[in-house]
Amino acid sequence: MAEHRCKVLVIGGGPGGYVAGIRAGQLGLDTILVEAARVGGTCLNVGCIPSKAMIHVAEQFEAAHRFTAPNSLGISVAAPAFDLPTAMEWKNGIVGNLTGGVAGLLRKAKVRVIEGTATFKDGKTVSVIRPDGETDTITAETIIIATGSESVELPFLPFGGDVISSTGALALDEVPETLCVVGGGYIGLELGIAYSKLGAAVTIVEMADRVLPLYDAELTAPLTRRLEELGITVLTGAKVTGAKDNQVDVTDASGESRRITAAKILVTVGRRPFTKGLGLENLALDMDRAFIKVDARCQTSMRGIYAIGDVTGEPMLAHRAMAQGEIVAGVLAGKNESWDKRCIPAICFTDPEIVSAGLLPDEAKAAGFDTIVSSFPFRANGRAMTLEREDGFIRIVARRDNHLILGIQAVGAGISEMAAGFGLAIEMGACLEDIAGTIHSHPTRGEALQEAAFKSLGHALHL
Ligand code: FAD
Ligand code: NAD
């Protein structure tokens, strides 16, 4: 049993915790980070990175497959084959490189990393049960909670056997012949599409009246069309009423009951904050449902205790956790920092991809803005044609009075790389004239952004 003291203790080594740790170390604060599993957290180990790796594998296989049939590019490929264990090994290699890199960065910043599960004894003291069963005690001036989130389980579909969470779906050793995905949100769609491209017959069961219900119907329409093209069965307005063995009972939108037989059932109905074993009962933190309530400086209701990342609420995204990690380290180093972001861009890595930064048209309206909303379709964009992907569009939501851009959304293949530009425009307070007056390189999909701005100003050039 060892006793440690430090200025800053970070609990959890995901994107929130490791960024807070690295930045605190860089700012000269004596920092300890405790991680129960592996640094990198959900994102690097079982979330963002492995899912994007598998999406890439699926895209490559689908492309190879496409060339087995006559096509306008004149390419022909004979019977492409796929070996999932090889792809998983490649994916695991990337995860290993990145988590190893994070461990190296923490070392470089002189952060002491302790492996084990942390439990609050009181507001300044934490005990850590190490993997060998030994218990360490850490006394810290300030503590940052960054314990992340976990998959929500449905009572009648508990995880285990053929009922899997995203973590299970990212560790399969063979492509299931049939896959039933319960929940057509971010994870269900990203992984459902990937497994469909790898050869599984996929059914998505979504209880709302469309997939990705957080977005408007215009934004999800190209995705819905593509799901159909890929042969994915989508049941919207559908409720799972029960499940046994490999069968899921569903009542669809018309009230009809049907039974879906699936080799694997992937349940992706959301994620909830993870605080199990953390000893929150020994503290007096204000909560917002199961989330820990924080202010703009990531301070909780208890002096000296901060919280960041998924455990503090929506949107549960890695880049939000990282931004909070950076802010909280600055606050602890005496800097005058607080959350002042205008937007947190979100990307759904579906096919086509969907990006949303700032306000959707309905959100802008609900906030009382009189807006101009214009979109430019990729079917009129040269680069999209050369890439054989003319589906989708870029849309700008701007104030009618001063043309300030409130939101930018896009749907299209490969559009995720434009998210940074959308975020930059909103953070910098760009107006329609700024986008219209910026030279956008030709030929790129990005020209559709400039064209949407031209259109809002009443003079689209290529439409
Ligand atoms: P986490 O990454 O969850 O890390 C928390 C860490 O705390 C874990 O390592 C855990 O072991 C540790 N911990 C918990 N309790 C204790 C304790 N008591 N003691 C010590 N350690 C503890 N987000 C995106 O922005 N883009 C994406 O493309 C994306 N894709 C995703 C795909 C999937 C399949 C999933 C599941 C999630 C995805 N996310 C994505 C969400 C993203 O992973 C999370 O928003 C992000 O990881 C949150 O970071 P965090 O630091 O708050 O928590
Ligand atoms: P989600 O909230 O995105 O989607 C859950 C979906 O399940 C919703 O559409 C909901 O209507 C539906 N649903 C809920 N209960 C249901 C039921 N009983 N039957 C049928 N449908 C039901 O949740 P998720 O896909 O599990 O992802 C969790 C979080 O992880 C996301 O909100 C996001 O914050 C994060 N994430 C982000 C990315 C990304 O940024 N690309 C990728 C994956 C995950």
Side-chain angles (χ1 to χ4, degrees), residues 183 185-187 190 206-207 213 268-271 316-317 347 349:
Y186 279 81
I187 301 179
E190 289 185 6
E206 165 58 50
M207 72 177 183
T268 53
V269 293
R271 291 181 63 81
M316 289 193 257
L317 297 173
I347 303 169
F349 291 83

Side-chain angles (χ1 to χ4, degrees), residues 343-375:
C343 74
I344 305 171
I347 303 169
C348 198
F349 291 83
T350 37
D351 176 8
E353 294 171 342
I354 299 180
V355 175
S356 178
L359 300 182
L360 295 165
D362 284 352
E363 290 171 338
K365 205 168 154 194
F369 293 110
D370 181 14
T371 56
I372 310 172
V373 179
S374 289
S375 58

Side-chain angles (χ1 to χ4, degrees), residues 97-288:
N97 278 344
L98 290 173
T99 53
V102 167
L105 293 171
L106 286 164
R107 261 196 311 276
K108 191 170 150 202
K110 298 193 170 49
V111 176
R112 287 176 280 163
V113 175
I114 297 178
E115 210 184 319
T117 301
T119 305
F120 278 97
K121 294 286 146 205
D122 57 45
K124 298 276 176 217
T125 326
V126 156
S127 70
V128 179
I129 303 187
R130 318 255 315 209
D132 61 8
E134 291 287 304
T135 304
D136 287 11
T137 302
I138 306 172
T139 309
E141 273 177 45
T142 46
I143 301 178
I144 304 170
I145 304 172
T147 50
S149 62
E150 63 177 344
S151 306
V152 169
E153 206 170 38
L154 288 174
F156 43 84
L157 271 173
F159 296 126
D162 291 328
V163 181
I164 55 176
S165 66
S166 53
T167 302
L170 290 166
L172 292 177
D173 47 20
E174 60 181 350
V175 176
E177 258 181 50
T178 46
L179 175 69
C180 175
V181 179
V182 182
Y186 279 81
I187 301 179
L189 288 167
E190 289 185 6
L191 296 180
I193 291 173
Y195 275 106
S196 159
K197 290 181 176 178
L198 292 174
V202 175
T203 303
I204 297 177
V205 182
E206 165 58 50
M207 72 177 183
D209 62 3
R210 60 168 181 273
V211 293
L212 281 181
L214 283 180
Y215 297 137
D216 54 81
E218 186 186 22
L219 206 50
T220 53
L223 169 64
T224 304
R225 281 195 291 274
R226 182 79 176 123
L227 291 171
E228 209 178 307
E229 214 174 274
L230 288 166
I232 296 176
T233 305
V234 181
L235 305 175
T236 51
K239 275 205 180 79
V240 175
T241 51
K244 196 160 182 261
D245 301 327
N246 288 75
Q247 298 189 318
V248 183
D249 291 324
V250 174
T251 305
D252 67 18
S254 60
E256 300 249 327
S257 300
R258 46 165 107 191
R259 180 162 284 180
I260 301 162
T261 304
K264 296 282 175 200
I265 301 160
L266 170 60
V267 180
T268 53
V269 293
R271 291 181 63 81
R272 62 170 169 234
F274 183 80
T275 52
K276 218 182 293 162
L278 190 58
L280 286 191
E281 62 280 6
N282 298 325
L283 305 177
L285 296 181
D286 283 355
M287 306 294 285
D288 173 7

